[in-house]
Amino acid sequence: MIELGVNIDHIATLREARRTVEPDPLWGAVLAELGGADGITVHLREDRRHISDRDVKLLRESVRCKLNMEMAAVDEIVKIACEIVPDQATLVPERREEITTEGGLNVKDQFEKIKKIVEKLQNRFIAVSLFLDPDPQQIIAGIKTGCDAIEIHTGKYALANKPQNITPELSRIIEVSAIITGANLRLHAGHGLTYHNVYPIVKIPNMKELNIGHSIIARSIMVGLKEAVHEMKQLINNNIN
Ligand code: PXP
């Protein structure tokens, strides 16, 4: 079985657009879990643009499935993770000006630093995953850190829109997947996966976990909007004098 981690950052993004209290990612986590999510994924960014410290604390107390905390390899956030103790930490690169995590972690150029963080988190019994581009050199460096899993960044594959672009991107992912599973690490993938492009990724042998956010949250607005309007209409009309 492939585990599905639902990334609920996008719910918090909507809340922060109004600096208000709804929608609450905590409610989203409960509903995702009721829907069958195997994991809840959140990214506590250094600029706290969506998920807040309050969210991760409450999620740690409430989530019954796997809590996966995405995080930059920086002291402040590593310290918080060591206090919160999520089931899994996924180390990702972070640039303030980016809209989302636009590339994989450059583990090759900061090997010693990443290795130390991996050990620190593992000493707190947190499984560590590295978010890496499907680049064999980065994957091999990642394996050497002693991490538990590697999540392949599927963003370029997801953006490819013609068969001649999709096929080479998929081949890159399949090639590095074999390196990861050959090293007995858990194979994860994520970023930009949708209801339309997920199938070839699901078919990769020994795939263990997919982390999907935007497409699921986007669809939830569409499948839920009709009901939400209906509820408001009833509320308004039932309160006319
Ligand atoms: N995996 C990682 C490591 C990510 O950083 C993200 C985006 O936050 C995702 C998966 C989910 O990406 P998307 O929202 O495009 O499904």
Side-chain angles (χ1 to χ4, degrees):
M1 205 196 73
I2 300 176
E3 293 176 7
L4 171 64
V6 178
N7 184 315
I8 58 170
D9 295 348
H10 310 279
I11 299 176
T13 298
L14 188 54
R15 175 189 62 191
E16 295 310 312
R18 277 289 180 96
R19 304 257 189 284
T20 178
V21 293
E22 64 174 7
D24 191 334
L26 199 67
W27 291 31
V30 172
L31 291 173
E33 205 168 327
L34 283 173
D38 303 291
I40 299 297
T41 295
V42 286
H43 184 173
L44 184 68
R45 295 186 76 105
E46 285 182 88
D47 62 8
R48 308 297 197 273
R49 70 169 73 154
H50 40 53
I51 292 293
S52 66
D53 297 66
R54 167 264 185 202
D55 297 335
V56 279
K57 273 193 203 116
L58 292 182
L59 285 166
R60 176 62 296 178
E61 284 175 25
S62 323
V63 166
R64 294 280 165 269
C65 58
K66 181 197 276 191
L67 179 63
N68 175 29
M69 190 172 153
E70 291 178 6
M71 47 188 270
V74 296
D75 290 346
E76 184 215 351
I77 308 289
V78 172
K79 187 165 174 279
I80 294 173
C82 288
E83 284 161 16
I84 298 279
V85 192
D87 302 287
Q88 179 173 289
T90 301
L91 297 180
V92 302
E94 199 174 296
R95 285 189 298 120
R96 274 171 203 250
E97 63 276 21
E98 69 190 359
I99 295 173
T100 178
T101 315
E102 280 160 12
L105 191 67
N106 186 347
V107 60
K108 209 157 62 76
D109 289 354
Q110 35 178 357
F111 180 77
E112 287 305 327
K113 177 181 155 191
I114 301 293
K115 189 168 181 282
K116 274 198 193 116
I117 294 175
V118 169
E119 280 164 9
K120 194 165 188 181
L121 293 165
Q122 286 174 334
N123 284 340
R124 297 285 291 148
F125 301 102
I126 302 167
V128 184
S129 176
L130 303 182
F131 188 45
L132 303 180
D133 285 327
D135 167 351
Q137 290 196 352
Q138 291 290 352
I139 301 290
I140 289 164
I143 292 168
K144 288 185 184 153
T145 64
C147 63
D148 303 278
I150 291 179
E151 178 172 339
I152 303 173
H153 195 311
T154 49
K156 276 204 181 136
Y157 158 77
L159 282 178
N161 53 9
K162 292 191 190 108
Q164 62 266 38
N165 302 333
I166 296 170
T167 308
E169 287 304 334
L170 191 57
S171 302
R172 273 155 50 86
I173 294 171
I174 292 169
E175 185 196 336
V176 297
S177 294
I179 303 175
I180 296 166
T181 53
N184 283 326
L185 260 59
R186 273 176 63 94
L187 174 62
H188 301 174
H191 210 283
L193 295 178
T194 69
Y195 294 79
H196 300 288
N197 66 19
V198 76
Y199 188 56
I201 302 296
V202 166
K203 280 185 32 184
I204 296 174
N206 298 311
M207 182 58 73
K208 287 282 184 285
E209 177 178 316
L210 299 179
N211 285 296
I212 308 180
H214 186 85
S215 191
I216 293 176
I217 303 303
R219 183 167 292 227
S220 75
I221 295 173
M222 291 307 160
V223 297
L225 185 58
K226 200 170 132 196
E227 182 66 20
V229 171
H230 181 69
E231 282 180 20
M232 181 59 87
K233 192 89 196 271
Q234 276 206 324
L235 187 72
I236 294 167
N237 287 321
N238 290 345
N239 284 296
I240 290 174
N241 292 325

